[in-house]
Amino acid sequence: MKRVITIQDFSCLGRCSLTAALPVISAAGVECCGLPTAVLSNHTGLPGSHIKDLTDEIKPIGEQLKRLGAGFDAIYTGYIANAGQMEIIKEFITEFRGRDTVVFVDPVMGDNGRLYSALTSDYPEKMRELCAMADIITPNITEACLLLGRDYGEYDTGEMLNELMKLGAGTVVITGVEPKTDGVPLTGAAAYDGKRFYEEYAPKQPVLCTGTGDLFAAALVGATMRGTGFERALRAAVSFCAESARLTAADPDRREYGVNFEQALSGYMEEISKP
């Protein structure tokens, strides 16, 4: 069985970050280990939050894992609380990266055209350095603009994918892409691996869901590490997020804790299990 370690925050309440990554990657038939960068009482989309920064704990945890001889088939980073943590995580990747280890970086740092308020202005530059170590990166539109130093607004997806490739990652995926259409509004992801462009879309749902980026990244990591080809892994991740959003929109008792992905897991597992 493949083993992934994911480095990101843990919210006690709310479907995001480690709370989403652990069940989704496990459902893919891949062992998922977690290294929390911070513990939150609840995700930050809810009013107020108690946060415990774990910067000082990351290195000692890594040292103990090394003493145990732990190895990982993939290292997957999500939300990183500060630029100082990023330096420690870069060291972790260098220490634990084997010849066949796949490094996924989800550069979680902004949405709706803005850098998250808790992050400092030097954060995007530090994230560029981390992305240079990755095999696959999965920024949303805002994060792609921040990585490229571009203003948020009109964009050409193909152009941005080409520019992001220059950061050093082997494959770039941009999420939250909404192609122009005269029919049903669509949303999904576009990707480029240096040889081929990929696009996968699904109907956009009339609901705002917190944590869909985390869910997408986890689904892509799980499918890829299971051995699913990249094109189908991308399709499965987009379909899974779309179905989760549909279930959320259809739930009269939906809460602000995040997207209802639990009932969509069976379909995701079926998709990535196809020969």
Side-chain angles (χ1 to χ4, degrees), residues 98-274:
R99 184 179 63 182
D100 298 319
T101 304
V102 183
V103 176
F104 295 83
V105 171
D106 185 13
V108 183
M109 57 178 169
D111 209 350
N112 299 315
R114 296 184 179 182
L115 182 74
Y116 291 140
S117 59
L119 303 178
T120 54
S121 59
D122 63 336
Y123 194 94
E125 178 58 39
K126 295 294 184 182
M127 184 58 76
R128 290 185 198 106
E129 296 174 7
L130 185 60
C131 286
M133 302 180 73
D135 294 292
I136 299 176
I137 62 173
T138 58
N140 62 27
I141 297 294
T142 296
E143 290 153 356
C145 290
L146 289 168
L147 287 170
L148 296 172
R150 297 176 54 147
D151 292 332
Y152 181 77
E154 289 294 323
Y155 62 89
D156 179 278
T157 305
E159 179 184 299
M160 291 180 74
L161 288 168
N162 267 306
E163 289 184 30
L164 287 166
M165 282 289 290
K166 297 175 184 177
L167 297 179
T171 299
V172 177
V173 183
I174 299 179
T175 63
V177 178
E178 298 182 2
K180 293 180 180 178
T181 174
D182 295 329
V184 176
L186 300 175
T187 186
Y192 182 49
D193 62 7
K195 297 179 181 178
R196 179 183 169 189
F197 288 95
Y198 305 82
E199 291 180 296
E200 293 292 342
Y201 302 109
K204 184 178 181 180
Q205 299 298 319
V207 62
L208 179 63
C209 299
T210 300
T212 50
D214 298 339
L215 198 65
F216 174 90
L220 186 67
V221 171
T224 302
M225 296 314 298
R226 183 185 176 91
T228 304
F230 179 76
E231 183 174 16
R232 191 149 59 86
L234 185 68
R235 183 180 306 122
V238 169
S239 297
F240 175 51
C241 289
E243 176 63 7
S244 298
R246 187 193 70 78
L247 289 166
T248 306
D251 182 2
D253 299 318
R254 67 175 179 267
R255 301 165 178 169
E256 297 176 343
Y257 302 163
V259 63
N260 294 16
F261 71 83
E262 294 86 352
Q263 292 173 306
L265 277 171
S266 58
Y268 167 69
M269 293 162 65
E270 181 179 353
E271 176 64 28
I272 65 176
S273 299
K274 293 177 182 178

